[in-house]
Amino acid sequence: SISNKLAATGGIGAALASLEFMGDDDDDNSQDALENTVVLLEQVAASAPEAVVASGAMENVLSVMQKQGLTNEICMEACVRTLERCSRTSAGLGEIVQKNGVPVLLGTFRDASTSAGATMPGLKLMDRVCRLEQYTEYVNQCGGIETMVMLLSNKSENAQVVKQGGRLLSKIAKTQLSETMAKLNNSNLDPAVKMTTLNLLSSLALEDESAEKIVADGGIGTLLADLADDNIDETMVITESKFLGRLMTSNKNVSEMIESGGVDTIIGLASKNTDNEAVMESLIPALVQMVAVSEDPSAIVSTSGVTGVKMVIDTMTSNPGFGASSEAGIKLISKMATSKKKDNKPELIQVRR
């Protein structure tokens, strides 16, 4: 085909090589030549990616991205789309990684001015890179987690980038849970970055294996330390209490929560926010999860004598419109009332008095 012949000659790559050092003072004709060349290469790559890779053009594309892409959006977008197309071949993916494509792409993600037209194909390419474990480790060595957190913060209003980027971040972070958890202990961590990291870890905690790893890395203590801060804002309370609830996957984890003063923290926050629906809808389900998983629900009691069960029932009674709290509470009461291990009915009756 014509595309194969064009790629095989190496002419497009040579043209890129001659244009990559073009200066800011070059005329419009030079800019047009650059744009036309990268667009042509993209078209060729769409039908003959193997031939483009074999011609050695990947190195030229990456070089042009670094030298001209930052100031030429058309050039940057066409280059990234070309790389993404070529990465669909095993040879292309390997060549991109070998020619330092990973740090170059991460650099575009960190740049807030990079357009969505370049970011989206870049995310698809990086997702393909991270399908191989050894490449995922390399991405992390290049600052992959920090970069993705920064990208999601910068592009938070772009639903497509957030969805694709969030999926990629989860894939990367799953292999680096300990390192990601450690970031939360950095007192100088930017609040927006911290919130993104918390949401990421909380999502990963929906899988029991990840939840256990987070707990083993001190997750419960880290979250409780934050929640005990008098200056913590409402959004953080909501995020971290939901996160804690997802960590309550076993009696062992509940016991650690109790030993770490978690019951006092959760019940104390609930007592201060009884009419705050958003806060209570995160605290009460977390409390319900603790009681439901614990081998001894009566152990879920604050130092002031308020049991978890009483706090749940009181919330349901005083604020029946709090949907998540009421639904979780009803399921808990039903489970306790029908338990074959222990007759909880006297306790439930006593709580209602």
Side-chain angles (χ1 to χ4, degrees), residues 149-338:
V149 169
M150 187 183 301
L151 171 67
L152 294 179
S153 177
N154 290 337
K155 306 290 187 184
S156 60
E157 296 180 359
N158 187 312
Q160 283 187 310
V161 170
V162 169
K163 181 179 180 180
Q164 185 78 20
R167 187 183 300 126
L168 176 58
L169 178 54
S170 294
K171 183 180 292 187
I172 298 172
K174 191 174 290 187
T175 64
Q176 297 282 314
L177 277 176
S178 297
E179 292 82 354
T180 307
M181 269 302 304
K183 297 181 192 305
L184 296 179
N185 294 317
N186 179 3
S187 59
N188 296 318
L189 191 64
D190 179 86
V193 173
K194 180 173 184 176
M195 183 59 70
T196 302
T197 305
L198 282 168
N199 284 325
L200 164 67
L201 290 166
S202 184
S203 296
L204 293 176
L206 289 169
E207 297 179 4
D208 286 356
E209 182 179 349
S210 294
E212 292 304 313
K213 177 64 176 172
I214 291 169
V215 171
D217 287 330
I220 291 175
T222 297
L223 294 172
L224 288 177
D226 272 356
L227 289 171
D229 186 344
D230 292 334
N231 297 317
I232 189 171
D233 64 46
E234 180 179 304
T235 303
M236 195 67 75
V237 171
I238 293 169
T239 300
E240 296 196 324
S241 54
K242 285 181 179 178
F243 190 176
L244 271 173
R246 291 172 179 175
L247 297 181
M248 298 299 102
T249 56
S250 66
N251 182 67
K252 177 177 70 69
N253 293 353
V254 173
S255 296
E256 181 176 336
M257 182 79 161
I258 295 171
E259 292 168 4
S260 301
V263 178
D264 275 342
T265 299
I266 297 298
I267 289 181
L269 285 168
S271 299
K272 295 176 183 177
N273 294 277
T274 53
D275 295 321
N276 187 324
E277 182 174 359
V279 172
M280 294 300 282
E281 293 285 67
S282 61
L283 291 169
I284 297 304
L287 192 56
V288 164
Q289 183 66 10
M290 288 176 62
V291 176
V293 172
S294 176
E295 293 178 0
D296 181 14
S298 63
I300 313 299
V301 56
S302 69
T303 52
S304 60
V306 179
T307 66
V309 174
K310 178 172 174 54
M311 177 58 71
V312 171
I313 292 178
D314 284 353
T315 300
M316 293 170 60
T317 303
S318 57
N319 292 293
F322 290 4
S325 299
S326 295
E327 182 180 352
I330 290 170
K331 289 180 179 179
L332 175 65
I333 293 170
S334 176
K335 179 180 179 180
M336 291 182 67
T338 57

Side-chain angles (χ1 to χ4, degrees), residues 61-63 65-66 76 83 99-110 126 138 142:
V61 174
L62 289 164
S63 184
M65 281 175 61
Q66 292 176 281
M76 176 66 83
L83 291 174
K99 298 300 182 183
N100 292 320
V102 168
V104 172
L105 279 166
L106 291 178
T108 68
F109 294 162
R110 285 191 289 270
M126 197 63 72
Y138 175 51
C142 294

Side-chain angles (χ1 to χ4, degrees), residues 8 29 32 58 67 72 79 84 107 114 119 124 130 144 178-179 230 236 256 260 262 269 277 285 312 327 345:
N29 289 332
D32 288 342
M58 295 297 91
K67 296 183 174 73
N72 190 316
C79 284
E84 191 278 322
T114 301
T119 300
K124 290 180 182 178
C130 290
S178 297
E179 292 82 354
D230 292 334
M236 195 67 75
E256 181 176 336
S260 301
L269 285 168
E277 182 174 359
V312 171
E327 182 180 352
K345 295 184 184 67

